Amino acid sequence: MSQKLLETDGAEWVKKGIISSEQQAQLLALYPEEKPAIGLLPLLGSLLIALSALSLVAANWQDLPELVRLGLLLGSITGSYVAAEYFLRRQYKSLGIGLVGLGLILFGASIILTSQMYQLIGYDLTGLLAWAVAGILLTWLYRSRFLFLLTVIIGGIVQGYNTGQLGVYSYFTAALTAGGLGYYWWRRPDSLLGGVLATGLLWQSALLINHLHVKITWFFVPAMLLYAAGDWQRNRPAGRALQGPPLVAAFLFTLGLALFGEADTYADRLRPPLLAYVAALGVVLALSIWAKRARGHLSSTTDWLLLLPGFYLPGGLALTVGTVVVLYAYSGSVLARAHQEQNQDRVTLGTVLFILTTAVAYFRLTWGFMDKSLFFLLGGILLFGLSWLLRRRAAQTFSTKTSE
Amino acid sequence: MPTLLDSPAFPATAPSAPAASLSELPEARRRVGAWWLVVAQVLFVLAVAAAGYATGVLGETVTLLTTPIDPRDLNYGDHLNLSYSISQIPGHLWKGDAVPRRKQAVYVVLEAHPSGYEARAVYPTEPTVPAGQVVLRGWITDAFRRSMRLRYGFERYYVPADVERKLRPKQRLRVQVSIAPWGQARIKQVDILPLPKTAKATR
C-alpha cells in the first residue's frame, strides 16, 4: 500500500470508523515518506551531456593512446559505482541501482574493448564469463530486480556470442545462470523475475539444441525441467510465472504442428529416437507430478497434454486432427480450472486459447475445399458464437461468486 | 496456462520465512562487498590488458599468410574474418592414433619458410619441438577425409581506420602473430601484400 493512498484516503477511513486516528498514525509511520524523485529535466540534461562525451570518445577511439583508452574505461566503471554508492547512501534507491547497472554494462564494454585493443577477442570465453559472474554477484549484493533482469540478458548475450562467434557452448555459463539466479529466485520468489529467468534459460537451451545439431524437440526436455522447478516452488504465483514461458513454447509448437504437420517433409526433423526421448521426458514428468502431489495442485497435470509427442505419428489428416484434439483438451482444461478457481485473468487466457484453437482447426480443416467467401462468413459466425458462449459462462461463474 | 497474467501487478514477494531471512544485507557488509566487487572488476580489465600486452612483448612472433579476404567482409564494419594458409591442413600431417574429431583441441607444429610459417604436423597432445619450430594451439572446426579445418582464435581482426582504407577485395595479408609461452596468441601486426595482379607483373 502506498503512503500516498494512506494519506489521502486515511482521513476518510477514520471518519467512517474503519480505523482510529491512532491506527492511521501507526500505519503512516510504517511507510516513511519517500525521497522525492530527482527532477526529470536535470536527468535528461546530464544524459545528453554524457551522450555527447560518449560520441566524442567513440569517434576518436582508435587514435587515442592505449593507456588513455584503458584509463577512460576504468575511470568510467569506477565512476559509476562510486556515484551509485553516493546516491544509495542518500536514499535515492532507483537512481543508485540504475548507476550500478550502468557500471555493470560498462564492465562488459571494457572487457570487449580491451580485448579488441590487443586483438585478443575470440581466443577464449573467460572474459565474457566474468561479466556474467559480476552480474550475479551484484544481484545478490544489492537484492535488486533490475540487476537480476540485466544479468539474465547478459547471460543470454554471453551464450549467444559463445555459440555464434566462437562455436562453443559454455555449459558453465548456463549452469551459472541457472544456479546463481535460479537460487536467488528460489529464495526470493517473484512473478516477474520467474518469467524473465525462464525466458533467459529457454533462450540458452535453444542455443544448446542448435549448437548440438540434435532434433529440435529435445528442447522440451530442459524446458519442462524448468516447468517442473516451477511446480516445486511454494509460492504459487512465482512458480506459475516460471512455468509460463515453457508452456507458451509448447503451445506454439503444438499449434505449429496442427497448422503445418500435415506435410510429412520436415516431420522427420522432429523425431528423436523414440525410447530416449520418451524416457527423458518421462523422468521430467515424474518429477513434475511428484512436486504437484507434494504441493497439492495435481489438477494442473493437464498442462502436460501439450507434451504428447504427436509428431511420431505419420503426417497427414490424422496428425492434424489428433493435434487439434490435444489443443482443445488443453485449452478446455485451462478454462475449466479457471472457472473452478474463479480467476478472471485465467478465464480470459483460457478463452483466448480456446478461440485460437478453434480458428486453427477451422482453417486447417476447411480452407482446402470450401468456397472462400463462405469460409470467412462461417468462420466469423463461429467465432462470434463461441465468444458469446464463453462470455456467458464466465459471467455466470462470476455472478455466483459475487452473490455468495 | 500460467503466465504473468496470473500474477497481480505488484511483485509477489511472499512474506515467507526464507524470504525474510534473505532480506537486505546489513548496510556495512553490503558496502564492503560492493568495494571488493569494484576492485575485482577493475583488476580483471587490467589483467585482460596485461595479458594482451605481455603476449605481444614476451611471445614468439611467427609470420602467417592469409588466403584472399572475402570481399563481403569489407562491407561489414570494423572487423575481418581471416583465413590462414594454416587454417586448412592436409590429413597426412595428423599424428594422432585416433581419427581427428570436430571441436577437438590440437597442437600444430609450425616451421619457418621464406614466405612465412607453414604447418609441419598436427598432434592431439602437446609435443616437444626442436629450435626453429613453434607449437600453436588450435581447435578442429571440421574434419574431412583428406583434410581438416582449424580455428586458432585469431581469425577475427579489428581493422584500424588507416589499414581499412588500403584494403581491396581479394587482398592477401601477411599477419604477425605473437605466441606467448603460456599458449595465448594474438595478432601483432598486419601487412597488406600486393594484389595478385600486380604481383604477377613484378615477377
Side-chain angles (χ1 to χ4, degrees), chain B residues 166 168-172 192-203:
Chain B
K166 296 182 205 150
R168 298 285 171 268
K170 305 224 170 162
Q171 200 134 34
R172 288 165 66 106
I192 298 175
L193 291 177
L195 277 169
K197 213 167 159 189
T198 45
K200 226 176 255 170
T202 51
R203 215 175 269 163

Side-chain angles (χ1 to χ4, degrees), chain A residues 7 22 35 64 89 104 157 186 233 240 272 316 337 349 351:
Chain A
E7 264 181 0
E22 289 82 45
K35 279 256 177 180
L64 294 173
R89 278 186 205 194
L104 180 60
I157 292 176
W186 187 258
Q233 172 62 265
R240 271 185 179 161
R337 256 188 302 152
L349 182 72
T351 310

Side-chain angles (χ1 to χ4, degrees), chain B residues 140-202:
Chain B
I140 297 180
T141 52
D142 280 304
F144 308 110
R145 266 175 64 197
R146 297 223 179 88
S147 68
M148 56 186 124
R149 271 199 81 75
L150 300 186
R151 174 177 75 81
Y152 296 96
F154 42 76
E155 280 76 7
R156 176 175 275 235
Y157 174 55
Y158 287 90
V159 190
D162 52 326
V163 178
E164 196 174 359
R165 278 192 285 277
K166 296 182 205 150
L167 281 177
R168 298 285 171 268
K170 305 224 170 162
Q171 200 134 34
R172 288 165 66 106
L173 304 175
R174 185 170 52 220
V175 180
Q176 291 188 22
V177 172
S178 196
I179 308 169
W182 54 91
Q184 205 168 14
R186 76 168 177 99
I187 294 176
K188 211 168 151 191
Q189 199 189 332
V190 170
D191 302 305
I192 298 175
L193 291 177
L195 277 169
K197 213 167 159 189
T198 45
K200 226 176 255 170
T202 51

Side-chain angles (χ1 to χ4, degrees), chain A residues 362-372 375:
Chain A
Y362 179 66
F363 177 78
R364 275 313 298 158
L365 300 176
T366 58
W367 177 262
F369 55 84
M370 203 183 267
D371 180 62
K372 291 301 170 282
F375 170 86

Side-chain angles (χ1 to χ4, degrees), chain A residues 21-22 55 67 82 117 173 216 267 270 353 381:
Chain A
S21 53
E22 289 82 45
S55 63
L67 274 180
V82 169
M117 197 152 74
T173 306
I216 55 168
L270 304 178
L353 293 182
I381 292 172

